[in-house]
Every structure is written in C-alpha cells, then in structure tokens.
Amino acid sequence: MHPFRAAVENRDADAIEALLAKDVVFTSPVAFKPYAGRAITAAILRGVLRVFEDFRYVREIANPDGRDHAFVFTATVGGREIQGCDFLHFDEEGRIDDFTVMVRPLSAAQALSEAMGAQFERISREAAGA
C-alpha cells in the first residue's frame, strides 16, 4: 500500500504532513484559488479528516515512474455520499508537491463546501501556528 494511502486510511495527520513538500500546491474542489505551502495544506487535510465520514479509498492508479498517483475515494459529508479523486504528484524526494482534489456529485460538493467553510477559521489558526 502506498504510504500516502496508509496515512490517510489510518487518519494519521502527522504522517500525511510529513509527505508534503514545503512548497506543495493544493487545489481544492470547492475553492477558486489554489493554496500554496505545507502549513495550509496540512491544516486543510486535517479539516477534511474531521468532516469526512466513512472515508475509504476504492482504487489506486499510478504511472510507471511512481511520481503521479490517483486515489479514488468515497465518503459521506453532511449526509451526502461523495465520490472523489486525489491527484498527487511527487517530487524527486518522494514528497507531494502538487495535490488536486475533484469530487462529485454537485450536491455533495456543496455539502463539502459548507462543512469546510465551517472549519476554515480553525484551519487558518492551525496553519498560522505551524
């Protein structure tokens, strides 16, 4: 099992953060602009761990050199079943330098947006304190 997948499935926020490059760029499915940097990305991912219920990866896809991965997942958020995919690119040191999330259906994406919006003050404080 890929170390990122293991960290997420074990809900190990420290292990997830350790896999992030200092200059990682996180592209959210519900925010207009990407977020840059390990501190804010780690804080967002901790927020996701808090709002997703019944999270599980159902498929893992990788290119031959192992630097690009797609992790397909399902979860529940705000009573809505959500399907999504984490698209990750790994730098030369094996750390995630690009992290893009896509989700469906629209009603679940809206529920995710609301749930994460309610977390964002805490996420901002966590990122600032890092």
Side-chain angles (χ1 to χ4, degrees), residues 54-109:
D54 306 319
F55 180 91
R56 72 188 206 300
Y57 283 116
V58 296
R59 189 169 179 202
E60 183 178 333
I61 305 162
N63 73 338
D65 72 6
R67 293 193 52 200
D68 289 288
H69 282 261
F71 297 91
V72 181
F73 65 84
T74 63
T76 304
V77 61
R80 302 279 185 179
E81 186 173 316
I82 193 166
Q83 297 173 317
C85 191
D86 294 333
F87 295 97
L88 308 181
H89 181 267
F90 293 83
D91 65 16
E92 299 82 17
E93 296 174 0
R95 289 198 171 78
I96 301 164
D97 61 3
D98 188 67
F99 192 132
T100 299
V101 181
M102 294 187 183
V103 297
R104 65 159 306 279
L106 179 59
S107 61

Short mmCIF file of all heavy atoms in Angstrom, two decimals, residues 54-109:
data_model
loop_
_atom_site.label_atom_id
_atom_site.label_comp_id
_atom_site.label_asym_id
_atom_site.label_seq_id
_atom_site.Cartn_x
_atom_site.Cartn_y
_atom_site.Cartn_z
N ASP A 54 -16.99 7.84 7.05
CA ASP A 54 -16.98 6.61 6.24
C ASP A 54 -16.04 6.71 5.05
O ASP A 54 -16.32 6.14 3.98
CB ASP A 54 -18.40 6.27 5.75
CG ASP A 54 -19.40 6.19 6.88
OD1 ASP A 54 -19.06 5.64 7.94
OD2 ASP A 54 -20.53 6.70 6.71
N PHE A 55 -14.92 7.40 5.22
CA PHE A 55 -13.98 7.60 4.12
C PHE A 55 -13.27 6.28 3.81
O PHE A 55 -12.83 5.57 4.70
CB PHE A 55 -12.93 8.65 4.50
CG PHE A 55 -11.93 8.89 3.41
CD1 PHE A 55 -12.16 9.88 2.48
CD2 PHE A 55 -10.79 8.12 3.30
CE1 PHE A 55 -11.24 10.10 1.45
CE2 PHE A 55 -9.88 8.34 2.28
CZ PHE A 55 -10.11 9.33 1.35
N ARG A 56 -13.15 6.00 2.50
CA ARG A 56 -12.33 4.87 2.09
C ARG A 56 -11.88 5.04 0.65
O ARG A 56 -12.60 5.59 -0.18
CB ARG A 56 -13.05 3.55 2.28
CG ARG A 56 -14.16 3.23 1.34
CD ARG A 56 -14.89 1.95 1.79
NE ARG A 56 -15.56 1.22 0.79
CZ ARG A 56 -16.55 1.62 0.00
NH1 ARG A 56 -16.97 2.83 0.08
NH2 ARG A 56 -17.11 0.83 -0.88
N TYR A 57 -10.64 4.62 0.39
CA TYR A 57 -10.15 4.59 -0.97
C TYR A 57 -10.65 3.31 -1.62
O TYR A 57 -10.65 2.24 -1.01
CB TYR A 57 -8.62 4.62 -1.01
CG TYR A 57 -8.06 6.00 -0.75
CD1 TYR A 57 -7.27 6.26 0.36
CD2 TYR A 57 -8.32 7.05 -1.63
CE1 TYR A 57 -6.76 7.52 0.59
CE2 TYR A 57 -7.81 8.32 -1.40
CZ TYR A 57 -7.03 8.54 -0.29
OH TYR A 57 -6.53 9.80 -0.06
N VAL A 58 -11.08 3.42 -2.87
CA VAL A 58 -11.62 2.26 -3.59
C VAL A 58 -10.76 1.87 -4.78
O VAL A 58 -10.96 0.79 -5.35
CB VAL A 58 -13.08 2.50 -4.04
CG1 VAL A 58 -13.99 2.66 -2.83
CG2 VAL A 58 -13.20 3.71 -4.95
N ARG A 59 -9.81 2.73 -5.16
CA ARG A 59 -8.96 2.44 -6.29
C ARG A 59 -7.72 3.31 -6.23
O ARG A 59 -7.78 4.46 -5.79
CB ARG A 59 -9.72 2.71 -7.58
CG ARG A 59 -9.05 2.25 -8.83
CD ARG A 59 -10.03 2.32 -9.99
NE ARG A 59 -9.37 1.90 -11.20
CZ ARG A 59 -9.77 2.24 -12.39
NH1 ARG A 59 -10.84 2.98 -12.55
NH2 ARG A 59 -9.13 1.82 -13.45
N GLU A 60 -6.62 2.75 -6.69
CA GLU A 60 -5.35 3.48 -6.75
C GLU A 60 -4.75 3.28 -8.13
O GLU A 60 -4.64 2.16 -8.60
CB GLU A 60 -4.41 2.94 -5.67
CG GLU A 60 -3.10 3.64 -5.56
CD GLU A 60 -2.25 3.08 -4.44
OE1 GLU A 60 -2.78 2.55 -3.46
OE2 GLU A 60 -1.01 3.20 -4.56
N ILE A 61 -4.38 4.39 -8.76
CA ILE A 61 -3.82 4.35 -10.11
C ILE A 61 -2.49 5.08 -10.07
O ILE A 61 -2.39 6.17 -9.49
CB ILE A 61 -4.76 5.05 -11.12
CG1 ILE A 61 -6.16 4.43 -11.05
CG2 ILE A 61 -4.19 4.97 -12.53
CD1 ILE A 61 -7.24 5.31 -11.67
N ALA A 62 -1.44 4.49 -10.68
CA ALA A 62 -0.12 5.14 -10.68
C ALA A 62 0.52 5.01 -12.05
O ALA A 62 0.30 4.02 -12.76
CB ALA A 62 0.77 4.50 -9.62
N ASN A 63 1.33 6.01 -12.39
CA ASN A 63 2.08 5.89 -13.64
C ASN A 63 3.33 5.05 -13.38
O ASN A 63 3.71 4.83 -12.23
CB ASN A 63 2.38 7.27 -14.24
CG ASN A 63 3.44 8.03 -13.47
OD1 ASN A 63 3.69 7.78 -12.30
ND2 ASN A 63 4.06 9.00 -14.14
N PRO A 64 3.99 4.58 -14.41
CA PRO A 64 5.12 3.66 -14.23
C PRO A 64 6.26 4.20 -13.36
O PRO A 64 6.89 3.44 -12.63
CB PRO A 64 5.59 3.37 -15.66
CG PRO A 64 4.38 3.58 -16.50
CD PRO A 64 3.63 4.71 -15.83
N ASP A 65 6.54 5.51 -13.42
CA ASP A 65 7.66 6.01 -12.62
C ASP A 65 7.27 6.31 -11.16
O ASP A 65 8.11 6.67 -10.35
CB ASP A 65 8.32 7.23 -13.27
CG ASP A 65 7.48 8.50 -13.22
OD1 ASP A 65 6.41 8.52 -12.58
OD2 ASP A 65 7.91 9.50 -13.84
N GLY A 66 5.98 6.17 -10.84
CA GLY A 66 5.53 6.33 -9.47
C GLY A 66 5.40 7.76 -8.99
O GLY A 66 5.11 7.99 -7.82
N ARG A 67 5.58 8.72 -9.88
CA ARG A 67 5.53 10.12 -9.43
C ARG A 67 4.16 10.73 -9.54
O ARG A 67 3.91 11.79 -8.99
CB ARG A 67 6.56 10.95 -10.19
CG ARG A 67 7.97 10.48 -9.78
CD ARG A 67 9.08 11.35 -10.18
NE ARG A 67 8.92 12.72 -9.79
CZ ARG A 67 9.60 13.71 -10.36
NH1 ARG A 67 10.44 13.46 -11.34
NH2 ARG A 67 9.43 14.95 -9.96
N ASP A 68 3.25 10.06 -10.25
CA ASP A 68 1.87 10.53 -10.35
C ASP A 68 0.94 9.43 -9.88
O ASP A 68 1.06 8.28 -10.32
CB ASP A 68 1.53 10.92 -11.79
CG ASP A 68 2.22 12.19 -12.22
OD1 ASP A 68 1.81 13.26 -11.72
OD2 ASP A 68 3.16 12.12 -13.03
N HIS A 69 0.04 9.79 -8.98
CA HIS A 69 -0.93 8.83 -8.44
C HIS A 69 -2.32 9.45 -8.45
O HIS A 69 -2.46 10.66 -8.25
CB HIS A 69 -0.59 8.47 -6.98
CG HIS A 69 0.51 7.48 -6.84
ND1 HIS A 69 0.29 6.15 -6.64
CD2 HIS A 69 1.84 7.63 -6.88
CE1 HIS A 69 1.43 5.52 -6.55
NE2 HIS A 69 2.40 6.41 -6.68
N ALA A 70 -3.31 8.59 -8.62
CA ALA A 70 -4.71 8.98 -8.47
C ALA A 70 -5.32 8.01 -7.47
O ALA A 70 -5.19 6.79 -7.62
CB ALA A 70 -5.44 8.92 -9.80
N PHE A 71 -5.93 8.55 -6.43
CA PHE A 71 -6.58 7.75 -5.39
C PHE A 71 -8.07 8.05 -5.42
O PHE A 71 -8.47 9.16 -5.05
CB PHE A 71 -6.00 8.08 -4.02
CG PHE A 71 -4.54 7.75 -3.87
CD1 PHE A 71 -3.57 8.70 -4.15
CD2 PHE A 71 -4.14 6.50 -3.44
CE1 PHE A 71 -2.22 8.41 -4.00
CE2 PHE A 71 -2.78 6.20 -3.29
CZ PHE A 71 -1.82 7.15 -3.57
N VAL A 72 -8.88 7.10 -5.85
CA VAL A 72 -10.32 7.28 -5.94
C VAL A 72 -10.93 6.94 -4.59
O VAL A 72 -10.58 5.92 -3.98
CB VAL A 72 -10.91 6.37 -7.05
CG1 VAL A 72 -12.42 6.57 -7.16
CG2 VAL A 72 -10.22 6.64 -8.39
N PHE A 73 -11.85 7.80 -4.11
CA PHE A 73 -12.41 7.58 -2.77
C PHE A 73 -13.92 7.77 -2.75
O PHE A 73 -14.50 8.36 -3.66
CB PHE A 73 -11.75 8.51 -1.75
CG PHE A 73 -11.99 9.97 -1.96
CD1 PHE A 73 -13.14 10.60 -1.49
CD2 PHE A 73 -11.06 10.76 -2.62
CE1 PHE A 73 -13.36 11.97 -1.68
CE2 PHE A 73 -11.26 12.12 -2.82
CZ PHE A 73 -12.41 12.73 -2.34
N THR A 74 -14.51 7.28 -1.67
CA THR A 74 -15.90 7.57 -1.34
C THR A 74 -15.93 7.99 0.13
O THR A 74 -15.06 7.62 0.92
CB THR A 74 -16.84 6.35 -1.54
OG1 THR A 74 -16.43 5.31 -0.65
CG2 THR A 74 -16.82 5.86 -2.97
N ALA A 75 -16.94 8.75 0.48
CA ALA A 75 -17.11 9.21 1.86
C ALA A 75 -18.53 9.76 1.98
O ALA A 75 -19.28 9.80 1.01
CB ALA A 75 -16.09 10.28 2.22
N THR A 76 -18.84 10.20 3.18
CA THR A 76 -20.09 10.90 3.43
C THR A 76 -19.73 12.24 4.07
O THR A 76 -18.84 12.32 4.92
CB THR A 76 -20.99 10.09 4.39
OG1 THR A 76 -21.19 8.80 3.83
CG2 THR A 76 -22.33 10.77 4.60
N VAL A 77 -20.43 13.28 3.64
CA VAL A 77 -20.25 14.60 4.24
C VAL A 77 -21.61 15.27 4.27
O VAL A 77 -22.33 15.29 3.28
CB VAL A 77 -19.19 15.44 3.47
CG1 VAL A 77 -19.60 15.69 2.04
CG2 VAL A 77 -18.91 16.75 4.18
N GLY A 78 -21.98 15.75 5.44
CA GLY A 78 -23.28 16.41 5.59
C GLY A 78 -24.44 15.55 5.14
O GLY A 78 -25.41 16.05 4.59
N GLY A 79 -24.33 14.24 5.35
CA GLY A 79 -25.38 13.32 4.97
C GLY A 79 -25.40 12.97 3.49
O GLY A 79 -26.28 12.22 3.05
N ARG A 80 -24.47 13.48 2.73
CA ARG A 80 -24.40 13.22 1.29
C ARG A 80 -23.25 12.27 0.97
O ARG A 80 -22.14 12.46 1.48
CB ARG A 80 -24.17 14.51 0.50
CG ARG A 80 -25.20 15.56 0.70
CD ARG A 80 -26.37 15.27 -0.15
NE ARG A 80 -27.33 16.37 -0.03
CZ ARG A 80 -28.45 16.40 -0.68
NH1 ARG A 80 -28.76 15.43 -1.51
NH2 ARG A 80 -29.28 17.40 -0.52
N GLU A 81 -23.51 11.30 0.12
CA GLU A 81 -22.44 10.43 -0.34
C GLU A 81 -21.64 11.19 -1.39
O GLU A 81 -22.20 11.82 -2.29
CB GLU A 81 -22.98 9.15 -0.94
CG GLU A 81 -21.87 8.18 -1.29
CD GLU A 81 -22.37 6.82 -1.75
OE1 GLU A 81 -23.31 6.29 -1.11
OE2 GLU A 81 -21.84 6.32 -2.75
N ILE A 82 -20.33 11.14 -1.24
CA ILE A 82 -19.44 11.86 -2.14
C ILE A 82 -18.46 10.87 -2.76
O ILE A 82 -18.03 9.93 -2.11
CB ILE A 82 -18.71 13.01 -1.39
CG1 ILE A 82 -18.02 13.96 -2.34
CG2 ILE A 82 -17.74 12.48 -0.36
CD1 ILE A 82 -17.59 15.28 -1.69
N GLN A 83 -18.17 11.08 -4.03
CA GLN A 83 -17.13 10.33 -4.73
C GLN A 83 -16.08 11.34 -5.16
O GLN A 83 -16.43 12.47 -5.54
CB GLN A 83 -17.68 9.63 -5.97
CG GLN A 83 -18.73 8.59 -5.67
CD GLN A 83 -19.35 8.06 -6.95
OE1 GLN A 83 -19.66 8.83 -7.86
NE2 GLN A 83 -19.52 6.76 -7.01
N GLY A 84 -14.83 10.92 -5.10
CA GLY A 84 -13.80 11.86 -5.49
C GLY A 84 -12.50 11.18 -5.84
O GLY A 84 -12.38 9.96 -5.80
N CYS A 85 -11.54 12.01 -6.19
CA CYS A 85 -10.22 11.51 -6.54
C CYS A 85 -9.17 12.52 -6.09
O CYS A 85 -9.33 13.73 -6.31
CB CYS A 85 -10.13 11.28 -8.04
SG CYS A 85 -8.64 10.38 -8.52
N ASP A 86 -8.15 12.00 -5.44
CA ASP A 86 -6.97 12.79 -5.09
C ASP A 86 -5.92 12.54 -6.17
O ASP A 86 -5.51 11.40 -6.39
CB ASP A 86 -6.39 12.35 -3.74
CG ASP A 86 -7.31 12.64 -2.58
OD1 ASP A 86 -8.12 13.57 -2.66
OD2 ASP A 86 -7.21 11.90 -1.56
N PHE A 87 -5.52 13.60 -6.87
CA PHE A 87 -4.47 13.50 -7.88
C PHE A 87 -3.20 14.08 -7.27
O PHE A 87 -3.16 15.25 -6.92
CB PHE A 87 -4.85 14.30 -9.13
CG PHE A 87 -6.06 13.77 -9.84
CD1 PHE A 87 -7.30 14.32 -9.62
CD2 PHE A 87 -5.94 12.71 -10.73
CE1 PHE A 87 -8.43 13.83 -10.28
CE2 PHE A 87 -7.05 12.21 -11.39
CZ PHE A 87 -8.30 12.77 -11.16
N LEU A 88 -2.18 13.24 -7.14
CA LEU A 88 -0.95 13.65 -6.47
C LEU A 88 0.24 13.54 -7.41
O LEU A 88 0.36 12.57 -8.17
CB LEU A 88 -0.68 12.77 -5.26
CG LEU A 88 -1.80 12.60 -4.24
CD1 LEU A 88 -1.35 11.72 -3.10
CD2 LEU A 88 -2.27 13.94 -3.73
N HIS A 89 1.13 14.52 -7.32
CA HIS A 89 2.42 14.44 -7.99
C HIS A 89 3.49 14.49 -6.91
O HIS A 89 3.41 15.29 -5.97
CB HIS A 89 2.63 15.60 -8.97
CG HIS A 89 3.94 15.50 -9.67
ND1 HIS A 89 5.09 16.12 -9.20
CD2 HIS A 89 4.31 14.82 -10.78
CE1 HIS A 89 6.09 15.84 -10.00
NE2 HIS A 89 5.65 15.05 -10.96
N PHE A 90 4.49 13.63 -7.05
CA PHE A 90 5.57 13.54 -6.07
C PHE A 90 6.86 14.08 -6.67
O PHE A 90 7.19 13.79 -7.82
CB PHE A 90 5.77 12.07 -5.66
CG PHE A 90 4.61 11.53 -4.88
CD1 PHE A 90 3.48 11.05 -5.54
CD2 PHE A 90 4.61 11.52 -3.50
CE1 PHE A 90 2.39 10.56 -4.83
CE2 PHE A 90 3.53 11.04 -2.78
CZ PHE A 90 2.42 10.56 -3.45
N ASP A 91 7.58 14.88 -5.87
CA ASP A 91 8.85 15.44 -6.33
C ASP A 91 9.95 14.38 -6.29
O ASP A 91 9.70 13.21 -5.97
CB ASP A 91 9.21 16.70 -5.53
CG ASP A 91 9.49 16.43 -4.05
OD1 ASP A 91 9.70 15.25 -3.65
OD2 ASP A 91 9.51 17.41 -3.27
N GLU A 92 11.17 14.80 -6.59
CA GLU A 92 12.31 13.89 -6.64
C GLU A 92 12.60 13.24 -5.29
O GLU A 92 13.21 12.17 -5.23
CB GLU A 92 13.58 14.61 -7.13
CG GLU A 92 13.47 15.18 -8.54
CD GLU A 92 12.75 16.53 -8.56
OE1 GLU A 92 12.60 17.20 -7.51
OE2 GLU A 92 12.29 16.91 -9.65
N GLU A 93 12.19 13.89 -4.20
CA GLU A 93 12.42 13.37 -2.85
C GLU A 93 11.27 12.49 -2.36
O GLU A 93 11.29 12.03 -1.21
CB GLU A 93 12.66 14.52 -1.88
CG GLU A 93 13.91 15.33 -2.21
CD GLU A 93 14.05 16.56 -1.33
OE1 GLU A 93 13.18 16.81 -0.47
OE2 GLU A 93 15.04 17.27 -1.52
N GLY A 94 10.26 12.30 -3.21
CA GLY A 94 9.12 11.47 -2.82
C GLY A 94 8.06 12.19 -2.02
O GLY A 94 7.18 11.56 -1.43
N ARG A 95 8.13 13.54 -2.01
CA ARG A 95 7.11 14.31 -1.30
C ARG A 95 6.09 14.88 -2.29
O ARG A 95 6.41 15.16 -3.44
CB ARG A 95 7.77 15.44 -0.52
CG ARG A 95 8.55 14.91 0.68
CD ARG A 95 8.85 16.00 1.68
NE ARG A 95 9.38 15.45 2.90
CZ ARG A 95 10.65 15.05 3.05
NH1 ARG A 95 11.49 15.15 2.05
NH2 ARG A 95 11.06 14.57 4.21
N ILE A 96 4.89 15.08 -1.80
CA ILE A 96 3.81 15.59 -2.64
C ILE A 96 4.04 17.08 -2.89
O ILE A 96 4.06 17.87 -1.95
CB ILE A 96 2.45 15.37 -1.95
CG1 ILE A 96 2.21 13.89 -1.68
CG2 ILE A 96 1.32 15.97 -2.79
CD1 ILE A 96 1.10 13.60 -0.68
N ASP A 97 4.18 17.44 -4.17
CA ASP A 97 4.36 18.86 -4.50
C ASP A 97 3.15 19.44 -5.23
O ASP A 97 3.06 20.64 -5.41
CB ASP A 97 5.66 19.11 -5.28
CG ASP A 97 5.73 18.38 -6.61
OD1 ASP A 97 4.76 17.70 -7.01
OD2 ASP A 97 6.79 18.49 -7.27
N ASP A 98 2.24 18.57 -5.65
CA ASP A 98 1.01 19.03 -6.28
C ASP A 98 -0.12 18.09 -5.85
O ASP A 98 0.02 16.86 -5.98
CB ASP A 98 1.14 19.02 -7.81
CG ASP A 98 -0.05 19.66 -8.48
OD1 ASP A 98 -0.23 20.88 -8.33
OD2 ASP A 98 -0.82 18.94 -9.13
N PHE A 99 -1.19 18.65 -5.33
CA PHE A 99 -2.29 17.87 -4.76
C PHE A 99 -3.59 18.50 -5.24
O PHE A 99 -3.92 19.62 -4.86
CB PHE A 99 -2.19 17.94 -3.23
CG PHE A 99 -3.03 16.99 -2.45
CD1 PHE A 99 -2.46 16.27 -1.43
CD2 PHE A 99 -4.40 16.84 -2.69
CE1 PHE A 99 -3.22 15.39 -0.66
CE2 PHE A 99 -5.16 15.97 -1.94
CZ PHE A 99 -4.58 15.23 -0.93
N THR A 100 -4.31 17.80 -6.09
CA THR A 100 -5.57 18.29 -6.63
C THR A 100 -6.67 17.31 -6.27
O THR A 100 -6.51 16.10 -6.42
CB THR A 100 -5.50 18.44 -8.16
OG1 THR A 100 -4.48 19.39 -8.48
CG2 THR A 100 -6.84 18.91 -8.73
N VAL A 101 -7.80 17.84 -5.80
CA VAL A 101 -8.94 17.01 -5.44
C VAL A 101 -10.12 17.38 -6.34
O VAL A 101 -10.39 18.56 -6.56
CB VAL A 101 -9.34 17.20 -3.97
CG1 VAL A 101 -10.52 16.30 -3.60
CG2 VAL A 101 -8.16 16.94 -3.05
N MET A 102 -10.81 16.35 -6.82
CA MET A 102 -12.05 16.54 -7.56
C MET A 102 -13.11 15.67 -6.92
O MET A 102 -12.81 14.56 -6.47
CB MET A 102 -11.88 16.18 -9.03
CG MET A 102 -10.93 17.11 -9.75
SD MET A 102 -10.91 16.78 -11.50
CE MET A 102 -9.68 17.94 -12.00
N VAL A 103 -14.35 16.19 -6.85
CA VAL A 103 -15.44 15.45 -6.22
C VAL A 103 -16.73 15.58 -7.04
O VAL A 103 -16.88 16.50 -7.84
CB VAL A 103 -15.72 15.91 -4.77
CG1 VAL A 103 -14.52 15.66 -3.88
CG2 VAL A 103 -16.14 17.37 -4.73
N ARG A 104 -17.64 14.65 -6.80
CA ARG A 104 -18.96 14.67 -7.40
C ARG A 104 -19.90 13.98 -6.43
O ARG A 104 -19.42 13.30 -5.54
CB ARG A 104 -18.95 13.98 -8.77
CG ARG A 104 -18.62 12.49 -8.71
CD ARG A 104 -19.07 11.71 -9.91
NE ARG A 104 -20.45 11.83 -10.26
CZ ARG A 104 -21.45 11.17 -9.67
NH1 ARG A 104 -21.21 10.32 -8.68
NH2 ARG A 104 -22.69 11.36 -10.06
N PRO A 105 -21.17 14.08 -6.53
CA PRO A 105 -21.97 14.97 -7.37
C PRO A 105 -21.98 16.39 -6.78
O PRO A 105 -21.46 16.63 -5.70
CB PRO A 105 -23.36 14.35 -7.33
CG PRO A 105 -23.43 13.74 -5.96
CD PRO A 105 -22.03 13.24 -5.69
N LEU A 106 -22.64 17.28 -7.50
CA LEU A 106 -22.68 18.68 -7.10
C LEU A 106 -23.25 18.85 -5.70
O LEU A 106 -22.72 19.64 -4.90
CB LEU A 106 -23.49 19.49 -8.11
CG LEU A 106 -23.64 20.99 -7.80
CD1 LEU A 106 -22.29 21.67 -7.69
CD2 LEU A 106 -24.50 21.66 -8.87
N SER A 107 -24.31 18.12 -5.36
CA SER A 107 -24.92 18.28 -4.03
C SER A 107 -23.93 17.90 -2.93
O SER A 107 -23.89 18.54 -1.87
CB SER A 107 -26.19 17.45 -3.91
OG SER A 107 -25.91 16.07 -4.08
N ALA A 108 -23.09 16.91 -3.17
CA ALA A 108 -22.08 16.53 -2.19
C ALA A 108 -20.95 17.56 -2.15
O ALA A 108 -20.41 17.87 -1.08
CB ALA A 108 -21.53 15.14 -2.49
N ALA A 109 -20.58 18.09 -3.31
CA ALA A 109 -19.56 19.14 -3.34
C ALA A 109 -20.03 20.37 -2.57
O ALA A 109 -19.25 21.01 -1.85
CB ALA A 109 -19.22 19.52 -4.79
#
